Amino acid sequence: DAGYSHTILSPDGKLVAAAHNVPGSTWRLVTIPVAGGEPKTLNAEGGRLRGWTPDGKYILLSYLNKDTTFPAVVEVSTGVRTQILQRPKDILVEPRLSKDGRWIAFEDASPDLYIAPFRGAQLIPESDWIRIAAKTSHPVWAPDGNSIYFTRLGSESRRGVILYRQKLDPATKRPIGDPTPFHDVGDFRFGVSVSNPIPVGNGEIILALTPPNSDIWVTDLPK
């Protein structure tokens, strides 16, 4: 149907979460049964999809509006939205859940990368945040949860993007040593993705990249 985009399948494969563009309004979050049926609108207007929890109970959202910039979850069964991270006068973005759903990674306005224990529809106090690295973007978890990848810009003389890996303590998720360069993408740029342009699987990383330059074409106009 028209007006739907940014679809993400639920862990059990029974529902699709999607953004619905309602004319004259903001984006709305809906769930649609895969087997067919009417869409269900959740109380999450303006939120951007960032994935499902492994149990399928919650959908992770990121609010990037002028006055509301924070991660939240919406309970699928009730449609109730809950803000899960906040810091006064700060921007908190790029929320990413670990594969087991026990931890969440996110960035502040610096942008510095943090990890915190995820507790469903509960606000996570700042005292539980673990600072991982500085000047990051595009955080993504390794499947085993024992490393996290992110990007940084190169030096002023070479403005390419470099992918880094930070090892984590398996139990506490605190960083082990310093982040290490993992891959240099050169002059390429990361493409647009619903959740992240750096999907990580078992034994491989897929980078959604776009060329740094575009072509210019010339054509004769009809007389």
Side-chain angles (χ1 to χ4, degrees):
D1 290 336
Y4 292 96
S5 65
H6 300 81
T7 55
I8 302 180
L9 191 66
S10 64
D12 62 6
K14 295 181 179 180
L15 291 173
V16 173
H20 185 205
N21 186 14
V22 180
S25 181
T26 58
W27 291 91
R28 295 179 182 177
L29 176 66
V30 300
T31 56
I32 307 170
V34 172
E38 291 298 318
K40 175 184 176 182
T41 301
L42 304 179
N43 181 27
E45 187 170 310
R48 303 186 185 187
L49 282 167
R50 289 295 178 262
W52 293 73
T53 56
D55 58 8
K57 187 176 181 180
Y58 299 101
I59 296 174
L60 181 64
L61 302 168
S62 182
Y63 283 82
L64 304 174
N65 303 320
K66 180 180 179 181
D67 301 318
T68 53
T69 306
F70 57 84
V73 295
V74 59
E75 189 171 15
V76 176
S77 62
T78 65
V80 174
R81 189 195 76 180
T82 304
Q83 183 176 345
I84 59 173
L85 292 164
Q86 69 177 16
R87 178 193 277 166
K89 299 181 180 180
D90 199 3
I91 296 172
L92 302 176
V93 296
E94 298 288 349
R96 314 290 180 196
L97 284 173
S98 59
K99 188 175 181 180
D100 61 8
R102 296 177 58 191
W103 298 86
I104 185 170
F106 58 96
E107 296 173 354
D108 65 9
S110 297
D112 290 350
L113 175 62
Y114 291 84
I115 290 174
F118 177 73
R119 303 186 180 103
Q122 297 182 33
L123 186 68
I124 306 170
E126 190 173 349
S127 58
D128 288 349
W129 301 5
I130 303 168
R131 186 177 180 276
I132 301 299
K135 306 301 180 185
T136 68
S137 60
H138 302 111
V140 58
W141 290 89
D144 62 6
N146 295 331
S147 295
I148 195 164
Y149 298 90
F150 56 85
T151 64
R152 283 175 173 165
L153 287 176
S155 64
E156 291 296 326
S157 60
R158 200 202 62 77
R159 299 293 293 176
V161 178
I162 300 173
L163 180 64
Y164 282 79
R165 176 192 182 192
Q166 174 63 64
K167 293 184 178 180
L168 306 172
D169 182 276
T172 66
K173 299 306 176 196
R174 295 191 176 278
I176 299 175
D178 295 325
T180 56
F182 184 81
H183 181 71
D184 189 335
V185 303
D187 293 330
F188 283 84
R189 297 292 180 263
F190 285 94
V192 177
S193 173
V194 174
S195 56
N196 202 316
I198 313 175
V200 177
N202 291 316
E204 63 181 5
I205 296 177
I206 301 172
L207 304 178
L209 302 175
T210 58
N213 302 311
S214 59
D215 295 330
I216 298 176
W217 295 78
V218 177
T219 185
D220 293 329
L221 296 176
K223 296 181 180 179

